[in-house]
Amino acid sequence: MKIAIIGSGLSGLACADHFVAAGHQVSLFDKARGPGGRMSTRRIETSAGEVSFDHGAQYFTARDPAFQAIISDWEKRGTASRWPAAGADAWVGVPTMNAPVKALAADHHVTWSTLISGLAQTEDGWQLQSDKGAIDGRFGTIIVAIPAEQAATLLAPWEAKFAEIAKATVSEPCWTLMLAFDEPLGIAEPIFHDDPAIGWAARNSDKPGRTGPETWVIQASPQWSIDHLEDSQDDVITSLSDHFAELSGTALPEPLIASAHRWRYARSGRTDFGALYNRDLKIGLCGDWMLGPRVECAWLSGTALAKLALA
């Protein structure tokens, strides 16, 4: 098969791995500039040099034996390590959260910075429409591995059932604040969580393999993010900084950098399906949102879809 995978986060790449292992030709397309998805890393230049922030998923766990084997391989390759501060079963990418995804993407043909906006069915297969025009080539199979809200829009003209399932699976948003300081803040605790305004705050620079000045990633709670979804970045930076100062009991000095990122589709929902595949249309659907808001769920869903399509 000649397969197009829309979305090159962990679910899309897991799916691609299985297709390629079975001898099929795979092309991936992603609107982002580089690999990561919800495991993204933000790099920002400061007067003290470049700093990085894991501004998406903060860590991941492995319960399924097959995914445990994958993480064991990542550890051997040096792209993942345990992070005991977050729990005995917590893992992070090394030296940044997106390192494992970046390594997976390197084995595939991925077209970055390309938003797939539509599908067109022709006599010899599917054609992709992008924000840059039609994609050359025809594909026998289409795999949609993007957030539920985006998948619903893309699939609506072709697979109404899949689109309805995706539309009904709503993600929670998340405002994320990234702070870097030229001097240690002297905060004893490396992690704060479950505050009404701040769902999670962690000293990012404490994670294995991190270097450079002290950095913090501060993620607002789902409800706070909903209430402030359309606030300006400046207002969010000010408000979350004040909340964090109060929560940590620290008077924050002027940061080297203060930046905010709004994830409209941060914490995924959950369905009754691991993946969906229409054998007549040759359209498949996968993503963490099908199984739950965990990194492992993305890998499991992508793997499940490949098995459905290859059966």
Side-chain angles (χ1 to χ4, degrees):
M1 292 186 288
K2 187 177 180 183
I3 301 160
I5 299 181
I6 303 166
S8 58
L10 187 55
S11 61
L13 289 167
C15 196
D17 276 353
H18 284 78
F19 280 132
V20 170
H24 300 293
Q25 182 181 344
V26 178
S27 298
L28 295 103
F29 302 88
D30 201 294
K31 69 175 184 177
R33 290 177 293 177
R38 289 192 176 100
M39 295 173 70
S40 289
T41 298
R42 173 75 62 84
R43 293 174 174 82
I44 302 176
E45 284 293 336
T46 75
S47 58
E50 186 182 78
V51 295
S52 65
F53 300 90
D54 300 327
H55 67 308
Q58 293 297 293
Y59 65 91
F60 51 90
T61 58
R63 301 169 186 171
D64 184 273
F67 190 59
Q68 289 173 350
I70 293 294
I71 291 183
S72 178
D73 182 62
W74 291 352
E75 184 181 27
K76 291 175 183 176
R77 294 170 181 263
T79 61
S81 179
R82 291 187 183 275
W83 185 31
D89 60 345
W91 294 81
V92 294
V94 176
T96 55
M97 185 60 79
N98 69 344
V101 181
K102 189 175 181 180
L104 289 174
D107 293 333
H108 297 284
H109 179 267
V110 185
T111 301
W112 302 106
S113 301
T114 302
L115 173 65
I116 301 304
S117 55
L119 307 174
Q121 194 173 33
T122 67
E123 290 183 358
D124 53 350
W126 290 98
Q127 184 178 47
L128 304 183
Q129 307 292 329
S130 80
D131 54 344
K132 300 173 183 176
I135 303 294
D136 288 339
R138 299 292 187 274
F139 299 94
T141 299
I142 299 293
I143 300 299
V144 178
I146 54 180
E149 292 83 350
Q150 298 169 355
T153 300
L154 189 64
L155 290 174
W158 303 104
E159 227 300 353
K161 179 183 177 182
F162 290 4
E164 283 301 313
I165 292 170
K167 186 178 179 180
T169 311
V170 180
S171 302
E172 294 176 332
C174 179
W175 269 111
T176 297
L177 172 64
M178 294 160 277
L179 298 174
F181 301 93
D182 57 1
E183 296 290 341
L185 298 183
I187 299 174
E189 295 296 326
I191 295 173
F192 299 87
H193 55 83
D194 298 332
D195 177 78
I198 295 175
W200 171 273
R203 191 159 45 227
N204 197 86
S205 47
D206 275 10
K207 293 179 179 179
R210 274 59 174 177
T211 59
E214 181 164 323
T215 54
W216 284 83
V217 171
I218 299 154
Q219 295 182 322
S221 66
Q223 189 57 55
W224 193 95
S225 297
I226 291 169
D227 293 342
H228 298 269
L229 189 61
E230 302 304 332
D231 285 6
S232 70
Q233 287 193 22
D234 288 344
D235 287 345
V236 168
I237 290 170
T238 299
S239 184
L240 286 182
S241 293
D242 290 345
H243 279 296
F244 178 60
E246 181 180 356
L247 182 64
S248 63
T250 303
L252 301 181
E254 188 69 24
L256 286 169
I257 192 72
S259 180
H261 178 84
R262 178 178 59 192
W263 294 93
R264 284 193 179 273
Y265 314 117
R267 184 178 175 84
S268 74
R270 182 183 287 109
T271 74
D272 295 328
F273 309 93
L276 292 166
Y277 186 65
N278 183 318
R279 198 165 299 280
D280 294 329
L281 289 175
K282 290 185 169 53
I283 288 180
L285 186 58
C286 65
D288 56 357
W289 59 270
M290 302 205 76
L291 290 169
R294 296 171 53 240
V295 168
E296 179 178 21
C297 292
W299 188 87
L300 290 172
S301 180
T303 297
L305 178 51
K307 291 179 178 178
L308 281 175
L310 292 170

